[in-house]
């Protein structure tokens, strides 16, 4: 069984959040707790990498 990523709207409203929760629930249903945590950590690392790329750090370490 292949689970396809849900089609999300440009508004990213409550219905889109419901779709994502359902998608993740189905995806994680056959995983162990360790596999689920590893999957979440990988997603968080990718998000933080992208998030941090939006900040420019000066020579003093101050974020601009």
């Amino acid at each position: 069984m292949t689970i396809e990523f849900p089609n999300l709207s440009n508004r990213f409203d409550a219905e889109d959040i419901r779709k994502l929760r359902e998608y993740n629930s189905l995806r994680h249903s056959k995983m162990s707790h360790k596999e689920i945590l590893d999957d979440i950590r990988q997603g968080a690392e990718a998000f933080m990498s992208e998030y941090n790329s939006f900040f420019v750090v000066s020579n003093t370490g101050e974020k601009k």
Side-chain angles (χ1 to χ4, degrees), residues 12 20 38-55 63:
F12 196 73
L20 284 173
D38 290 343
D39 183 61
I40 292 169
R41 283 189 187 106
Q42 286 176 351
E45 288 171 4
F47 171 80
M48 290 306 295
S49 174
E50 179 115 1
Y51 176 79
N52 288 331
S53 71
F54 287 108
F55 292 103
K63 290 184 179 177

Side-chain angles (χ1 to χ4, degrees), residues 6-9 14-24:
N7 186 16
L8 305 176
S9 71
E15 181 65 17
D16 293 322
I17 294 170
R18 184 198 61 76
K19 289 177 188 177
L20 284 173
R21 290 181 62 152
E22 183 176 301
Y23 166 78
N24 282 324

Side-chain angles (χ1 to χ4, degrees), residues 24-38:
N24 282 324
S25 176
L26 290 171
R27 217 168 46 92
H28 291 154
S29 66
K30 304 276 188 216
M31 292 182 180
S32 70
H33 291 292
K34 182 181 180 333
E35 290 171 320
I36 293 169
L37 290 174
D38 290 343

